[in-house]
Amino acid sequence: MNDPDVVIVGAGADGPATAWKLAHDHGIDVLLLEGGPWHGNEQWPKPHADSGGTISTDPDDLDGKLLDEQFTHREADANDPTYGYLRVGPADHSRAPWFRNLHQNAFIWQVGAVGGTSLHYFSNHPRGYPTAFNDQPHWPIDYEELVPYYQLNEELTSTQQAPMTAKEEVFIEGADALYPLIESKNVTETGWRPQANAVEVPGRETATGEPLDADYEGSFSYDDGFRGDTLVGDHFQGSSTPVDAPVRDKARKSSNVGYVPRALDTNKSSEQGNVALRPNAYVTDIQTKEGAGTLEATGVTFRDSWSGQSQTVTADTVVLAGGCIETPRLWLNAGLPDDGWVGKGLTTHWFDWIVGVYDDETVADINPEVEHMDPYVGQNSAVRFDKPGVGGMEDIGMSPGLVSYADYLFSQAGYSFDTEVDPSEPWDTRGYVVGEELKRRMSNYKQTKALLILTDDLPRQSNGVSLDNTFSDEHGPVPKVKWEPHPDDDAKRDELSRIAANIHKEAGADHVHRCDWPPLLLHMQSSMRMGEVLDENAEAKNVNRLFVADHSAMANGVGGPNPTNSGQALALRTADKIAERYF
Amino acid sequence: MKGIGGLAALSMSGATIAEAEDVLNDSVPSDPHTLDTYRSIVDAIVPRTPQLESELGPEHVPGGLDVELEKFLVWDFNHFQEIRAEMVTEKGLLDGPSDAEMPLEMFESVLDLTNLGGLFGPDSPLDAVLNLADLDLLDLDLGLDDDALEEALTFGPVERYDISFADDVASSSGPAAFELLVETANETTHQVVQNYPYAPAFTLVFDIVAAEFIARGENEDAIKRDRSKFPAGGTFVQLSPEDRLRCLWTIVDGGAIDRLDDLLSPLVPDVGILKYVVMAVNGLHGFGYYTEWSGLGETKTNNPTERSLSTPAGEVQSRQQSGYPGPADGYAANWRHAVDGGFADPDVEELNLPSNLEGDDVIEGIGGGT
């Protein structure tokens, strides 16, 4: 793979989808470079301790049991961005993560590894709201144009309606009393619905041939015959269930599961292109030459994070898929033209988090067969609410480390012992919860659930990524990140928070708490957006043969729904456009 | 982790590489001031709660200090940022630093509190900070009584805090190691750590911010000067538990770091990150205390590949308090589909989207009733 047709920078959620489409449908040879490690690959048996192999092209290198060993499902091991195995940093875990300069009470939550931040997600795959495409002038393409790509992506990622377990029934108790059920994937009206999730159906086949329900007594091991989702809420820890399953048969289709095996499969067909994936390869520069009146990309330079050696590869086309922070950082460090929107216009769904604590009797009335909601049983987020034009929300159950952080230890409102609550608002407390009260609330963990607010925040030039003038790492100046809400975004978030509190109360919550989160940069979108930096094919306006195929290419936050399905669908379309234009 | 006895008399210039390597392998390098300062935060956020025993049971009594959560905070902050030697430059090179190079002085700092009150030394801890910042009291415009600030500021038993590169960065490359020396009247803690040792730097910042907090009269509870619970702490630990958190919040929402920028700048490479740090100070109780971290026994501050549970994940102290049984391979649970037959999904030609796609009116919707 010394002479690929296309080099893709980043093997996160979108890079592998692009690679698969280019090779599978167009016979194009692709080299994928990923700055972070590769888990579950025999070439790298100890990815955080030893440099391992160099490159992998063989789907037989993938090893699901190795993935089980590496993804321990332990919370501190996985989730802490400094301490955990899922972080943005060199694979070598004796080293610190890669630094981003953030001058805010805010948190950036991403993963640098094969699979990217899709290793660390709830696998929610709703489509963007049609209104976000059709009514905002900065979207250069129609919703209808993306629908076939959504359909393809949903087929490849096993996207379907999520299962309703005890905690979801409590949400439905509140939501269904106030709003209609939505039965379409194309959401144009307000209502609630099960999530569209990239997780296989629970217990598609079980070890005993009996259905997966409360009476099931069989094993959850793939070796014993179990197929599909096992109803464990550990998706944020990497989720390698069913245990023992080959990588491609893990139930949750993060891109290392849903796309990477498929992309490597193309190497076994003489009709299709070849795909090679090299982890531990951080791209530091984009090579260009002067073309006819404009710049033209000719390749990239990358640095091996173990050896420190740099190498340049040439290609006919370069695709940036490093994510909303690293893609503009690379662009700026490469000295490519900036017309004022490179790195800008970042959206993040201006989240909030509304917590309901329920008493045992209320939950038992809704779910006569179980005593608790047990937020760790079932998928992390299996039911949602949509309000196009404003945003949405989703019902969340997680393990207690994440719950204590998200419910009580992440706020912009100060400490609840000093924070007054407006009596006309539908929540009882607001802000950080600490001390005796924190321990009291966490003692109710099994009867606690939160609703995540996802606001339709719009792109603004003042928000985004620039090069830091204080710190540099081995790749050059580090990214400096800034995101602040606009008053209109605050108004939408307040409205959704009130709706969430009302749903909790309608369902019978004993206590409702509004966290009033500061910016959480998790659903990052639109920092290199189409309509500004990119044209309608996602090719750079100022550099030919340079495309962006990650969530930064999205022109906005698609109205509030989780962005993975939209980012991947757009990346599949971009692959077709690359093939049409240059091959 | 107390001071390392064998290195008690080690001077900065006398450190050998072998000795440096010994301390580099120390899992949670910390001086007493640093540990006690974080202990005082842990105690404010996850305290012992004997008062909950009768209501919730004896498992709800112990708190974060019982599992040494302060070590998690120290480990995390000291692994927060790698500084590459090849990106550091001495000032004054003929061709000047490039945009990507960082001046060496940004990372080196000496706070000298020896000989307080004398002709040859600073008059007070504030005086020592002003010396470090090359400032005069008159340069400060804090809008408060300087005497009150001077009166309030102490770093406890710390007499000297000295942070420098362990190697000659001009002739090396790769992750830089730092030497940190903290001297108190009774013991000297000397560490060599890879990555910038933010953990001890932040605790000095917290003392200065606390002194301003007190000087402004923002503390709601009386300060406690005997420091009996956290004997190696400074001004910060004199605050009541709630005031410690109120004090941290002045960094995020009270303008403290803007007012104190000149004083704090020599102590941390970039004062601007302190708002993020306050987020992390709070949040790390979730990543540490309420996870299985305390079950990792002696391996709790090892690299991920070298950690192993000595207490099952579902049985650690915090999990007994929350009732979470720990990770499982699967759950036998009842479930159903909410949309019979699955979502409707016509081909694109048959979508028939409504002609008005403006979405629900955000203004009309405010109030949550719709």
Side-chain angles (χ1 to χ4, degrees):
Chain A
M1 192 52 80
N2 292 324
D3 185 25
D5 299 320
V6 174
V7 60
I8 299 179
V9 181
D14 303 334
T18 314
W20 168 78
K21 192 87 164 76
L22 287 167
H24 183 270
D25 286 6
H26 303 290
I28 291 169
D29 291 344
V30 182
L31 172 63
L32 261 168
L33 298 172
E34 166 56 45
W38 194 344
H39 301 100
N41 187 306
E42 287 173 359
Q43 301 259 354
W44 294 273
K46 293 187 182 298
H48 297 298
D50 186 86
S51 59
T54 303
I55 202 159
S56 177
T57 56
D58 186 349
D60 293 335
D61 287 346
L62 300 172
D63 183 338
K65 292 187 183 184
L66 188 61
L67 191 66
D68 297 343
E69 187 186 308
Q70 292 166 356
F71 285 176
T72 65
H73 303 236
R74 300 199 295 248
E75 286 191 278
D77 258 12
N79 297 333
D80 185 301
T82 300
Y83 189 84
Y85 54 78
L86 298 178
R87 63 171 196 171
V88 174
D92 179 355
H93 246 281
S94 69
R95 292 176 55 194
W98 287 313
F99 192 75
R100 285 94 184 283
N101 208 351
L102 184 62
H103 284 192
Q104 288 183 264
N105 170 27
F107 188 39
I108 300 173
W109 223 339
Q110 283 184 297
V111 179
V114 173
T117 311
S118 80
L119 296 179
H120 216 196
Y121 82 142
F122 295 165
S123 71
N124 295 329
H125 272 222
R127 299 178 183 177
Y129 298 139
T131 179
F133 292 76
N134 287 7
D135 280 356
Q136 291 172 355
H138 44 71
W139 254 118
I141 57 174
D142 288 341
Y143 179 77
E144 287 81 354
E145 188 165 348
L146 217 50
V147 166
Y149 291 102
Y150 276 134
Q151 289 173 332
L152 174 61
N153 195 46
E154 289 156 3
E155 181 190 334
L156 296 177
T157 56
S158 304
T159 295
Q160 57 188 298
Q161 62 169 317
M164 303 297 102
T165 60
K167 65 182 189 294
E168 287 80 27
E169 300 295 359
V170 175
F171 175 87
I172 293 169
E173 180 80 9
D176 198 48
L178 302 170
Y179 301 97
L181 170 65
I182 300 169
E183 302 200 18
S184 169
K185 290 182 174 178
N186 307 300
V187 175
T188 57
E189 303 288 341
T190 299
W192 71 273
R193 59 180 166 140
Q195 289 277 18
N197 269 25
V199 190
E200 289 185 49
V201 73
R204 175 162 59 77
E205 295 170 40
T206 61
T208 59
E210 301 295 320
L212 176 60
D213 58 23
D215 297 327
Y216 177 66
E217 291 181 342
S219 147
F220 290 96
S221 163
Y222 186 91
D223 286 348
D224 294 334
F226 192 94
R227 303 286 183 275
D229 181 41
T230 68
L231 293 177
V232 289
D234 66 351
H235 289 175
F236 221 64
Q237 282 86 276
S239 186
S240 66
T241 51
V243 291
D244 303 323
V247 171
R248 70 178 72 232
D249 289 334
K250 300 298 187 189
R252 189 199 58 154
K253 307 300 182 190
S254 43
S255 86
N256 63 320
V257 172
Y259 274 107
V260 169
R262 270 176 222 285
L264 298 182
D265 286 347
T266 60
N267 295 317
K268 298 205 162 177
S269 163
S270 57
E271 317 257 299
Q272 297 168 2
N274 294 323
V275 173
L277 205 172
R278 178 168 177 156
N280 308 311
Y282 193 100
V283 176
T284 56
D285 202 6
I286 301 165
Q287 304 299 323
T288 54
K289 68 176 182 187
E290 293 286 343
T294 184
L295 279 179
E296 196 169 280
T298 59
V300 300
T301 300
F302 67 91
R303 186 180 191 279
D304 184 295
S305 69
W306 288 95
S307 71
Q309 299 298 308
S310 283
Q311 194 176 328
T312 296
V313 288
T314 57
D316 297 328
T317 304
V318 174
V319 179
L320 304 183
C324 283
I325 293 178
E326 299 302 333
T327 290
R329 182 215 187 181
L330 171 59
W331 178 292
L332 293 169
N333 270 330
L336 298 182
D338 176 8
D339 60 5
W341 281 100
V342 172
K344 305 304 179 189
L346 179 70
T347 58
T348 184
H349 287 164
W350 189 213
F351 297 118
D352 206 345
W353 192 259
I354 311 296
V355 183
V357 182
Y358 293 74
D359 64 33
D360 293 355
E361 294 74 26
T362 301
V363 176
D365 282 349
I366 298 169
N367 295 297
E369 293 166 17
V370 291
E371 287 182 13
H372 298 112
M373 283 192 284
D374 289 340
Y376 50 91
V377 176
Q379 296 173 3
N380 287 117
S381 177
V383 65
R384 65 180 295 117
F385 167 90
D386 296 285
K387 186 165 186 179
V390 183
M393 75 185 69
E394 52 189 44
D395 184 73
I396 310 273
M398 304 187 297
S399 43
L402 291 168
V403 164
S404 65
Y405 175 73
D407 288 18
Y408 304 126
L409 295 168
F410 188 55
S411 181
Q412 65 171 11
Y415 294 87
S416 64
F417 56 70
D418 280 338
T419 306
E420 289 185 13
V421 175
D422 181 339
S424 67
E425 295 289 10
W427 38 79
D428 304 304
T429 53
R430 195 164 69 92
Y432 287 119
V433 177
V434 297
E436 177 186 329
E437 189 56 23
L438 172 64
K439 292 176 79 176
R440 196 184 288 281
R441 300 263 186 108
M442 286 305 294
S443 77
N444 268 322
Y445 160 72
K446 292 179 75 174
Q447 296 292 48
T448 302
K449 68 147 78 200
L451 299 175
L452 173 66
I453 303 305
L454 307 100
T455 305
D456 176 15
D457 61 318
L458 296 179
R460 302 181 200 286
Q461 203 165 9
S462 55
N463 287 330
V465 180
S466 56
L467 293 182
D468 187 46
N469 57 15
T470 303
F471 294 114
S472 299
D473 63 17
E474 66 271 37
H475 312 121
V478 303
K480 183 160 187 165
V481 184
K482 181 192 163 206
W483 192 91
E484 286 175 358
H486 184 278
D488 291 351
D489 304 331
D490 282 334
K492 294 178 192 176
R493 189 174 89 139
D494 287 345
E495 180 189 352
L496 292 163
S497 296
R498 293 180 185 117
I499 293 171
N502 288 340
I503 288 175
H504 273 310
K505 291 200 160 175
E506 185 70 28
D510 216 25
H511 183 97
V512 176
H513 175 72
R514 182 176 183 186
C515 302
D516 197 350
W517 273 4
L520 174 61
L521 303 177
L522 168 70
H523 284 191
M524 283 186 279
Q525 304 111 166
S526 61
S527 63
M528 298 288 284
R529 60 204 178 104
M530 289 170 62
E532 292 288 352
V533 183
L534 311 174
D535 69 13
E536 68 278 10
N537 297 325
E539 184 172 14
K541 287 182 175 177
N542 290 323
V543 188
N544 285 347
R545 296 180 178 273
L546 180 63
F547 289 77
V548 175
D550 61 31
H551 288 35
S552 71
M554 286 162 43
N556 56 28
V558 294
N562 313 56
T564 314
N565 196 6
S566 298
Q568 290 180 334
L570 189 60
L572 294 170
R573 174 183 179 273
T574 300
D576 283 348
K577 299 296 179 187
I578 292 169
E580 267 172 38
R581 172 118 204 236
Y582 291 114
F583 296 95
Chain B
M1 187 74 216
K2 298 286 178 166
I4 298 157
L7 293 171
L10 190 68
S11 72
M12 295 299 292
S13 56
T16 67
I17 295 298
E19 287 165 332
E21 284 177 353
D22 281 347
V23 284
L24 188 60
N25 293 329
D26 195 22
S27 61
V28 185
S30 307
D31 64 275
H33 175 267
T34 298
L35 275 185
D36 268 356
T37 305
Y38 289 113
R39 283 166 54 80
S40 78
I41 298 172
V42 169
D43 198 48
I45 295 180
V46 190
R48 284 181 67 80
T49 44
Q51 65 273 29
L52 292 179
E53 178 167 8
S54 57
E55 178 188 340
L56 297 175
E59 70 273 24
H60 294 272
V61 172
L65 293 181
D66 294 291
V67 295
E68 299 183 304
L69 188 68
E70 67 277 8
K71 289 186 176 179
F72 185 80
L73 274 66
V74 171
W75 191 97
D76 226 279
F77 285 134
N78 279 347
H79 290 76
F80 187 51
Q81 186 180 13
E82 176 181 278
I83 305 298
R84 306 283 299 185
E86 67 270 26
M87 308 308 287
V88 177
T89 183
E90 299 262 15
K91 238 184 172 176
L93 292 177
L94 281 179
D95 53 353
S98 76
D99 288 349
E101 288 177 323
M102 301 177 283
L104 180 138
E105 65 178 17
M106 199 162 90
F107 302 104
E108 297 199 324
S109 187
V110 182
L111 180 65
D112 190 349
L113 300 144
T114 53
N115 298 315
L116 282 185
L119 296 163
F120 303 104
D123 289 325
S124 67
L126 180 61
D127 207 24
V129 175
L130 289 166
N131 284 348
L132 175 61
D134 201 18
L135 288 171
D136 196 272
L137 254 184
L138 296 173
D139 298 330
L140 288 180
D141 184 18
L142 299 177
L144 53 73
D145 180 354
D146 298 333
D147 290 341
L149 184 66
E150 188 147 29
E151 161 90 3
L153 182 61
T154 171
F155 300 107
V158 175
E159 294 192 343
R160 184 179 170 87
Y161 166 88
D162 187 332
I163 182 168
S164 61
F165 285 99
D167 305 300
D168 175 12
V169 289
S171 61
S172 57
S173 62
F178 289 85
E179 289 201 45
L180 176 73
L181 191 74
V182 182
E183 288 180 5
T184 67
N186 302 321
E187 65 184 306
T188 298
T189 309
H190 173 229
Q191 298 124 26
V192 176
V193 292
Q194 185 176 311
N195 308 315
Y196 189 81
Y198 277 111
F202 293 153
T203 60
L204 300 178
V205 167
F206 297 161
D207 280 338
I208 295 172
V209 174
E212 198 226 11
F213 182 76
I214 292 168
R216 288 186 177 279
E218 293 184 23
N219 52 307
E220 295 194 9
D221 305 319
I223 63 169
K224 188 177 174 186
R225 288 186 187 268
D226 70 0
R227 301 197 308 267
S228 53
K229 197 164 181 184
F230 308 108
T235 308
F236 185 79
V237 307
Q238 296 175 353
L239 297 168
S240 73
E242 290 191 346
D243 277 339
R244 283 171 219 150
L245 303 176
R246 290 184 182 112
C247 170
L248 290 175
W249 195 243
T250 66
I251 291 175
V252 172
D253 201 31
I257 57 174
D258 295 328
R259 292 190 300 271
L260 299 171
D261 182 64
D262 289 342
L263 282 180
L264 301 177
S265 289
L267 290 167
V268 281
D270 183 13
V271 170
I273 64 170
L274 290 170
K275 291 182 179 181
Y276 176 85
V277 167
V278 172
M279 182 286 296
V281 163
N282 285 283
L284 286 174
H285 293 73
F287 289 112
Y289 185 73
Y290 282 107
T291 66
E292 72 293 323
W293 174 82
S294 67
L296 292 166
E298 294 301 308
T299 68
K300 42 168 82 106
T301 50
N302 290 3
N303 291 320
T305 44
E306 297 160 348
R307 298 173 198 156
S308 60
L309 283 173
S310 57
T311 305
E315 293 176 22
V316 301
Q317 180 178 301
S318 66
R319 262 57 186 294
Q320 289 176 7
Q321 294 170 0
S322 67
Y324 174 62
D329 289 343
Y331 290 108
N334 293 323
W335 65 278
R336 68 176 173 102
H337 274 147
V339 177
D340 290 339
F343 291 116
D345 186 27
D347 286 342
V348 65
E349 297 78 19
E350 293 156 20
L351 263 186
N352 296 325
L353 294 175
S355 56
N356 175 8
L357 276 173
E358 286 175 2
D360 294 349
D361 189 322
V362 61
I363 302 302
E364 190 179 304
I366 286 178
T370 58

